[in-house]
Amino acid sequence: AGPVVLESIGDSPRVFRVYNMASEEEANAIIETALKAKGQNALKKSTVGIGADADGTELAHEDRGRTSENAWDHESVEAKLIIQRSFRLTNIKEDAGKRDGLQVVR
C-alpha cells in the first residue's frame, strides 16, 4: 500500500486527506468483521440524536431519512493496527481513554 501520506487540503478548519491509511486487505478484514458481528457489535440501522434527556429518555432514534447501517470494530487485529497508526499519524500518545473503535458504515 505504500507509506501513509498526509495532504493538507484546508486551513480553517484544518482538513487533511490521508493516503494509504489502510491496505485493501485490512479494509476487507474490517468489513468481514462487521458483517459477521453479532449482538451489540452487529451492523444496525443508523440513528440520529445522542444521549438522554433530563428524564433519562434515550434521544437516539431511527429516522426514515437515514438509510445507512453502522457497526463499530474495537477488537479485530486490523482495527487495532489502524487505530495505532492514527495515533502515530497525529502524534498523540495512545491511551485507552482516547481510543474508539473503527466505525463501519454501509
Side-chain angles (χ1 to χ4, degrees), residues 10-72:
D11 292 329
S12 184
R14 293 179 75 181
V15 179
F16 301 93
R17 179 175 290 135
V18 182
Y19 297 92
N20 302 318
M21 187 64 179
S23 69
E24 186 171 343
E25 292 81 15
E26 289 169 326
N28 287 335
I30 290 167
I31 291 166
E32 282 302 311
T33 297
L35 292 174
K36 292 178 181 176
K38 304 287 183 217
Q40 185 176 349
N41 294 328
L43 277 166
K44 57 186 163 273
K45 188 161 174 52
S46 298
T47 58
V48 296
I50 188 169
D53 65 16
D55 297 325
T57 303
E58 180 65 41
L59 297 175
H61 61 279
E62 291 183 7
D63 182 277
R64 57 188 191 129
R66 175 79 48 105
T67 59
S68 62
E69 296 177 305
N70 73 86
W72 293 88

Side-chain angles (χ1 to χ4, degrees), residues 75-86:
E75 299 299 325
S76 74
V77 170
E78 294 80 9
K80 289 178 180 179
L81 286 171
I82 293 170
I83 292 165
Q84 290 170 350
R85 198 172 296 142
S86 69

